């Protein structure tokens, strides 16, 4: 019997289809896994912005989690938009109750158009309840600054922010580079509890078809971890996946359009991605390069 690995997204619904559980499920499918979902909130959203947020009550979240946990063999879990502290606590308890492993925490805080997707008091709940369970947490630069309390202005402060986030108990952190000021390269910085450093670099693309990039990247990580891939290999695949999704835009909507989730499978043009792997012992010895 050919049974796909089953993975789970716990996140908000994006009516525009570019982010949230819609992006996650598309990504899971494209990477050959079977995706389940727990909806934490419903948003009225399109490419121009978030026009309404309607969080689920705790019982609804709990019953969705337990319905999945009682019937599916979940190999990896991704959390996205969790909105407030009560939902974060419900999700945390559900993950513990079902003993789910390979947790990827995408600490979604701000929508592409600037709308707040996480209440302020929920930041502390993420740090104290959810992050200690994480295999990997995937903040962008603004999210990493909030979680660490450190302003990221250069490579040194980026590492300090990553170290501060790891103090909350996650096994590893990757600070995504999409918000950096480098005009040519998007560089993601990975650090784990053993001190291993990886730099994942790709060409910065001039496009506003970027809605859902964070969701898609973390969903790709989740799919690969759910298939049993080691973290480093999962990271490279996720970077390839999102780079292809950005390089071949769909041109949908009048604002920040969604990424193209099928591009990785359809294009197979791995040269859109140029990754540099650099471990901690290579800082003074140059780069080990991988091209796709």
């Amino acid at each position: 019997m050919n049974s796909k690995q089953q993975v789970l997204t716990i996140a908000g619904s994006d009516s525009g289809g570019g982010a949230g559980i819609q992006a996650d499920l598309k990504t899971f499918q494209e990477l050959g896994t079977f995706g389940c979902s727990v909806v934490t909130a419903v948003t009225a959203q399109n490419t121009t912005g978030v026009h309404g947020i309607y969080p689920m009550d705790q019982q609804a979240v709990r019953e969705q989690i337990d319905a999945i946990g009682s019937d599916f063999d979940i190999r990896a879990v991704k959390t996205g938009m969790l909105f407030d502290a009560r939902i974060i606590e419900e999700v945390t308890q559900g993950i513990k109750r079902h003993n789910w492993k390979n947790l990827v925490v995408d600490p979604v805080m701000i929508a592409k158009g600037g709308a707040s997707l996480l209440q302020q008091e929920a930041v502390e709940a993420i740090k104290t309840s959810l992050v200690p369970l994480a295999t990997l947490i995937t903040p962008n630069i603004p999210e990493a600054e909030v979680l660490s309390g450190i302003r990221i202005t250069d490579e040194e402060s980026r590492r300090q922010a990553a170290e501060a986030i790891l103090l909350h108990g996650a096994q590893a952190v990757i600070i995504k580079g999409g918000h950096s000021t480098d005009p040519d390269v998007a560089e993601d910085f990975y650090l784990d509890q053993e001190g291993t450093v990886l730099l994942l670099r790709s060409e910065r693309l001039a496009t506003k078809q970027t809605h859902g990039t964070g969701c898609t990247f973390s969903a790709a990580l989740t799919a690969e971890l759910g298939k049993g891939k080691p973290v480093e290999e999962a990271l490279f695949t996720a970077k390839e996946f999102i780079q292809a999704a950005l390089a071949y835009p769909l041109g949908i909507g009048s604002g920040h359009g969604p990424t193209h989730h099928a591009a990785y499978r359809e294009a197979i043009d791995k040269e859109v991605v140029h990754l540099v792997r650099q471990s901690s012992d290579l800082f003074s010895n140059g780069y080990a390069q991988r091209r796709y």
Side-chain angles (χ1 to χ4, degrees):
M1 179 178 176
N2 182 17
S3 178
K4 287 188 176 182
Q5 301 293 354
Q6 297 144 55
V7 294
L8 172 64
T9 171
I10 305 175
S13 168
D14 173 10
S15 55
I21 59 169
Q22 286 83 353
D24 296 344
L25 292 173
K26 291 171 187 177
T27 303
F28 292 163
Q29 182 81 9
E30 289 295 326
L31 288 171
T33 57
F34 181 85
C36 302
S37 64
V38 170
V39 180
T40 58
V42 173
T43 67
Q45 188 173 174
N46 56 26
T47 66
T48 66
V50 178
H51 304 285
I53 302 176
Y54 307 94
M56 307 295 289
D57 64 39
Q58 286 178 262
Q59 182 177 350
V61 173
R62 185 185 314 120
E63 289 185 0
Q64 290 178 83
I65 289 172
D66 288 344
I68 297 300
S70 67
D71 194 37
F72 292 88
D73 180 18
I74 298 300
R75 298 299 181 90
V77 180
K78 176 221 156 165
T79 64
M81 174 191 172
L82 299 179
F83 187 69
D84 62 19
R86 65 190 178 85
I87 292 177
I88 292 168
E89 183 60 27
E90 198 65 62
V91 168
T92 300
Q93 292 306 314
I95 291 169
K96 290 179 177 178
R97 192 162 57 249
H98 296 288
N99 197 30
W100 285 328
K101 305 301 183 184
N102 291 321
L103 173 62
V104 176
V105 174
D106 185 19
V108 178
M109 297 180 182
I110 303 293
K112 193 70 67 180
S116 177
L117 299 177
L118 184 70
Q119 295 186 350
Q120 186 57 42
E121 69 272 15
V123 174
E124 194 63 27
I126 284 182
K127 290 192 290 187
T128 60
S129 297
L130 196 60
V131 172
L133 304 180
T135 301
L136 190 60
I137 180 170
T138 64
N140 58 32
I141 288 174
E143 291 162 350
E145 290 178 336
V146 171
L147 291 169
S148 67
I150 295 171
R151 174 93 170 140
I152 298 174
T153 58
D154 54 21
E155 291 183 4
E156 180 60 27
S157 57
R158 181 180 63 179
R159 177 160 188 146
Q160 291 173 352
E163 290 171 343
I165 292 170
L166 288 181
L167 290 176
H168 297 297
Q171 294 177 34
V173 59
I174 183 163
I175 299 178
K176 297 172 292 189
H179 287 76
S180 75
T181 57
D182 190 318
D184 301 315
V185 174
E187 180 180 271
D188 305 331
F189 177 82
Y190 169 90
L191 179 68
D192 65 22
Q193 292 285 2
E194 285 69 48
T196 302
V197 170
L198 298 174
L199 298 181
L200 286 79
R201 288 176 173 170
S202 59
E203 177 188 1
R204 187 177 295 277
L205 302 171
T207 177
K208 68 174 186 175
Q209 309 298 305
T210 56
H211 182 54
T213 50
C215 300
T216 300
F217 176 77
S218 58
L221 272 174
T222 305
E224 293 303 294
L225 291 175
K227 292 189 297 190
K229 300 297 178 61
V231 170
E232 180 182 328
E233 186 175 342
L235 284 167
F236 284 127
T237 299
K239 185 71 166 176
E240 291 176 333
F241 190 93
I242 192 58
Q243 188 71 3
L246 290 166
Y248 300 95
L250 293 167
I252 292 173
S254 56
H256 293 283
T259 64
H260 185 184
H261 294 92
Y264 179 75
R265 172 176 51 84
E266 292 177 353
I268 313 298
D269 180 6
K270 300 299 180 70
E271 285 301 313
V272 301
V273 176
H274 176 202
L275 299 180
V276 178
R277 178 191 183 278
Q278 179 176 342
S279 64
S280 55
D281 63 348
L282 290 174
F283 272 129
S284 61
N285 298 320
Y287 296 103
Q289 299 187 5
R290 289 179 65 173
R291 286 185 177 272
Y292 298 87

